[in-house]
Amino acid sequence: MTIGLIAAMHDEIASLLQHMDAYGSVRHIGMRDYYIGQIYGQDVVVVLARVGKVAAAATTVTLIRDFSVDTVVMTGLAGGLARGVAVGDIVVADRLLQHDLDGRPFWPQYQVPLLDQAEFPCDPTLRKRLEQAAASFLQEDFEARLDTDTRTRFRLKNPTLHTGMIASGDRFIGDSGAVSQLQASLPAALCVEMEGAAVTQVCHEYGVPCAIMRTVSDRADDTAHLDFSAFLRDVASVYSAGVIQRFLEAA
């Protein structure tokens, strides 16, 4: 089985590639580098998708058609929406939806035209494996991999694993007004990001199982831009590498 691993930001893919075997190779397709090899004994193709739904969809199609991956797993950052979803928490999606898709009056809000559905589920088996990997990381690796200074700087204390809906859209949500609007219109959404729903739609159309994990970097409000790069480098990349390690080792 070959797993396609998609990261949304460079620091996350760099962390994964450090563990790829020495016999890996690279193919350049559509302005992206696809790294082919093994990580922790598992056949993988690792790629940086870049930001936004179009970028994520194009990357996913290439993984499926050019590399024949059997499953797709994506990691990245998200802004927390629901109460109780805090900075440093992990969200594993059970389903995803495009919060900026609106074909009314011809189709219901959020529904993908001609597919007759708005929410695209992640594969239950993959999701449970990702949940187990994330839970093990938080319980057993969190304090060992993030030193006291880092945990203090980002106020990380007893991070929690959540499972539920993730909302995606081609807009960075960074003000309290937009957050309130999303909370009112999509009360089930735990967090918001910019790629995941595109990945799940493509996987749905091709019949390929997928799973999505997000590390909560902010509360998607007026402070969302603060220390984003530092959080990605010092926290999210560590989460991604640690959770994916446990996920691959259990494959």
Side-chain angles (χ1 to χ4, degrees), residues 24-85:
S25 60
V26 184
R27 286 182 61 189
H28 187 75
I29 302 174
M31 300 178 67
R32 289 164 179 78
D33 290 325
Y34 293 79
Y35 297 85
I36 311 145
Q38 286 194 339
I39 298 179
Y40 306 115
Q42 173 65 54
D43 292 331
V44 297
V45 182
V46 183
V47 59
L48 174 66
R50 300 190 307 214
V51 177
K53 292 186 295 181
V54 172
T59 305
T60 306
V61 169
T62 302
L63 281 173
I64 294 170
R65 297 196 60 179
D66 288 70
F67 298 96
S68 301
V69 299
D70 300 288
T71 61
V72 174
V73 176
M74 184 173 198
T75 66
L77 298 174
L81 286 178
R83 287 185 178 180
V85 178

Side-chain angles (χ1 to χ4, degrees), residues 52-246:
K53 292 186 295 181
V54 172
T59 305
T60 306
V61 169
T62 302
L63 281 173
I64 294 170
R65 297 196 60 179
D66 288 70
F67 298 96
S68 301
V69 299
D70 300 288
T71 61
V72 174
V73 176
M74 184 173 198
T75 66
L77 298 174
L81 286 178
R83 287 185 178 180
V85 178
V87 173
D89 286 359
I90 292 176
V91 177
V92 174
D94 64 359
R95 64 203 191 278
L96 293 97
L97 169 149
Q98 297 181 53
H99 67 76
D100 58 350
L101 181 56
D102 192 348
R104 294 177 295 181
F106 303 104
W107 294 277
Q109 188 176 15
Y110 311 125
Q111 186 179 103
V112 177
L114 308 183
L115 285 182
D116 298 327
Q117 68 184 85
E119 298 178 3
F120 291 84
C122 291
D123 178 77
T125 301
L126 275 183
R127 187 196 77 223
K128 288 185 182 299
R129 278 181 49 200
L130 198 54
E131 287 174 337
Q132 290 169 355
S136 296
F137 172 82
L138 291 177
Q139 293 168 8
E140 302 173 25
D141 300 337
F142 171 71
E143 291 189 359
R145 296 206 182 202
L146 281 83
D147 60 33
T148 302
D149 177 68
T150 299
R151 300 198 305 270
T152 301
R153 184 160 35 109
F154 293 102
R155 300 179 183 178
L156 306 178
K157 185 178 181 180
N158 300 320
T160 301
L161 171 64
H162 308 268
T163 301
M165 179 195 288
I166 293 179
S168 305
D170 284 316
R171 176 188 176 189
F172 180 78
I173 303 299
D175 65 83
S176 56
V179 169
S180 297
Q181 188 175 34
L182 282 175
Q183 289 171 331
S185 59
L186 293 170
L190 298 180
C191 63
V192 60
E193 38 90 300
M194 299 179 68
E195 297 86 20
V199 173
T200 52
Q201 180 181 333
V202 170
C203 287
H204 168 80
E205 295 189 26
Y206 279 90
V208 173
C210 71
I212 310 287
M213 182 196 94
R214 293 293 184 173
T215 300
V216 178
S217 60
D218 55 79
R219 282 292 303 171
D221 55 18
D222 300 297
T223 65
H225 64 287
L226 299 178
D227 293 323
F228 180 87
S229 297
F231 187 91
L232 171 63
R233 181 188 65 244
D234 298 337
V235 179
S237 63
V238 177
Y239 273 46
S240 178
V243 173
I244 293 301
Q245 176 180 350
R246 286 185 170 273

